Amino acid sequence: MCQPEWRRARVQAQRLADLARLRRVRDRIDRHYAQPLNVEALAREVNMSAGHLSRQFRAAYGETLYAYLMTRRIERATALLRRGDLSVTEVCFAVGCGSLGTFTTRFTELVGMPPGALRRQAADAVAGPADAGGAARAAGCASTVEGMPACVAKHVTRPVRIREAVVAGQRLA
Amino acid sequence: MDITIHTSSLPHDDPDASLAFYRDVLGFEVRSDVGQGRMRWITVGPAGRPDTSILLAPPAADPGVTDDERRTITEMMAKGTYGWILLATPDLDATFEKVQAGDTEVVQEPTEQPYGIRDCAFRDPAGNLVRIQELR
């Protein structure tokens, strides 16, 4: 008599367990973004097929696993480039990208300028007071998140890949 | 006006697991523990700092929360996009080692951030993000 209820509860419990597994995959990418992670290996660790994991990840988080990984790498790359003591090639390898071409393309796509341009802009913002504010803003430098709690700062400075998120942000502003 | 931040709350989905994390892994003291089963409200906080507490509470316990809303909240907790908190310590590396040894899900090793701080991050058993920042 109660079986439909039980079934629903079982389905929901399974769904929560699946979501928790996806969270672990996502956290693993956050932690080990600089290692040569691939979707197959990540899927094996949580006993899923690569195709199933990719579909589930996208359904839960709105972007593909590979896109999430590249976004994390580029997020870290922008931080390293702003420091100014590493070349673009060094940064590319430091964040786990094997190909400078792919890195530059994805970087430009996400940040809106090539990695070399961001590095120069960050250096200019530090060097000269003339238009330093503008350059700093464009480079999304530390001053724009000063005083924010670290969790929020981390999110605010993240490159946004999901198009809907950008549109929503503009509407709010 | 003289206002302090007294208590902030984080959701749990397994009160015993959350209690074990905040008490045994982070070393917080337990200031109160009421209710039973999944409906438990546990107040914890750092020893020697009685002014600030974290209340570990069942999510969506308000009867005004609809079933759909409750489902959304539990799903967001499971996928790790719901609760978070920022803690701080003078010795980040020692804290990280201790928490990591507690078989906790690590999200980030101690890292120098571009916005001028150094921090690490973990998940608590309910999927809340616990970020710990170095005081300097």
Side-chain angles (χ1 to χ4, degrees):
Chain A
M1 185 167 82
C2 289
Q3 272 177 358
E5 286 281 316
W6 290 349
R7 201 184 117 69
R8 261 200 298 280
R10 236 188 357 255
V11 168
Q12 182 61 8
Q14 183 58 50
R15 175 156 173 72
L16 293 179
D18 286 346
L19 285 170
R21 280 203 288 180
L22 295 175
R23 176 187 93 219
R24 287 185 196 107
V25 171
R26 189 163 171 265
D27 284 348
R28 189 167 155 70
I29 295 173
D30 275 353
R31 185 180 180 187
H32 298 296
Y33 65 90
Q35 291 175 11
L37 298 174
N38 66 69
V39 179
E40 284 75 20
L42 288 166
R44 257 199 311 279
E45 280 182 27
V46 291
N47 299 316
M48 286 190 195
S49 74
H52 185 63
L53 174 62
S54 296
R55 281 190 299 277
Q56 294 293 309
F57 190 94
R58 185 169 191 156
Y61 293 109
E63 64 182 324
T64 66
L65 203 61
Y66 178 73
Y68 187 79
L69 173 60
M70 281 308 285
T71 311
R72 292 289 71 76
R73 285 176 172 168
I74 286 161
E75 176 188 7
R76 186 68 188 153
T78 55
L80 293 177
L81 286 166
R82 283 195 196 107
R83 262 174 31 185
D85 57 339
L86 295 172
S87 72
V88 171
T89 311
E90 283 167 335
V91 167
C92 164
F93 292 121
V95 300
C97 286
S99 149
L100 189 60
T102 308
F103 171 71
T104 305
T105 308
R106 295 282 170 268
F107 188 100
T108 309
E109 209 174 84
L110 267 171
V111 181
M113 68 178 83
L118 181 109
R119 190 174 180 278
R120 275 193 301 280
Q121 202 174 60
D124 291 349
V126 174
D131 196 35
R137 263 193 303 282
C141 96
S143 65
T144 59
V145 292
E146 206 173 290
M148 257 182 213
C151 300
V152 180
K154 183 125 186 94
H155 273 282
V156 169
T157 56
R158 277 190 166 171
V160 176
R161 179 181 291 270
I162 308 168
R163 198 170 292 272
E164 292 78 9
V166 176
V167 173
Q170 282 167 347
R171 222 179 281 134
L172 281 171
Chain B
M1 280 195 285
D2 180 8
I3 301 175
T4 55
I5 297 178
H6 186 272
T7 306
S8 182
S9 93
L10 282 176
H12 65 62
D13 61 356
D14 177 344
D16 287 326
S18 287
L19 177 61
F21 175 75
Y22 286 95
R23 183 191 56 199
D24 305 337
V25 179
L26 293 189
F28 283 4
E29 62 185 16
V30 180
R31 292 172 183 164
S32 80
D33 186 345
V34 298
Q36 54 184 328
R38 286 179 166 259
M39 290 290 125
R40 253 167 89 191
W41 284 260
I42 306 166
T43 307
V44 296
R49 298 182 181 274
D51 290 348
T52 310
S53 302
I54 298 174
L55 174 67
L56 304 170
D62 187 322
V65 174
T66 67
D67 285 346
D68 275 351
E69 289 165 344
R70 189 167 291 117
R71 191 160 42 245
T72 299
I73 289 170
T74 50
E75 289 184 2
M76 286 181 74
M77 285 168 65
K79 65 182 251 198
T81 52
Y82 192 65
W84 63 268
I85 194 158
L86 174 61
L87 307 175
T89 179
D91 191 346
L92 189 69
D93 295 296
T95 305
F96 178 81
E97 286 311 319
K98 185 166 181 284
V99 178
Q100 188 182 32
D103 197 24
T104 308
E105 290 177 30
V106 177
V107 180
Q108 182 203 295
E109 334 279 334
T111 305
E112 200 69 47
Q113 301 288 1
Y115 32 86
I117 59 138
R118 185 162 179 269
D119 65 1
C120 65
F122 298 96
R123 290 283 172 194
D124 83 356
N128 298 307
L129 185 71
V130 179
R131 197 165 273 284
I132 307 179
Q133 179 174 331
E134 189 165 61
L135 289 172
R136 48 185 178 188

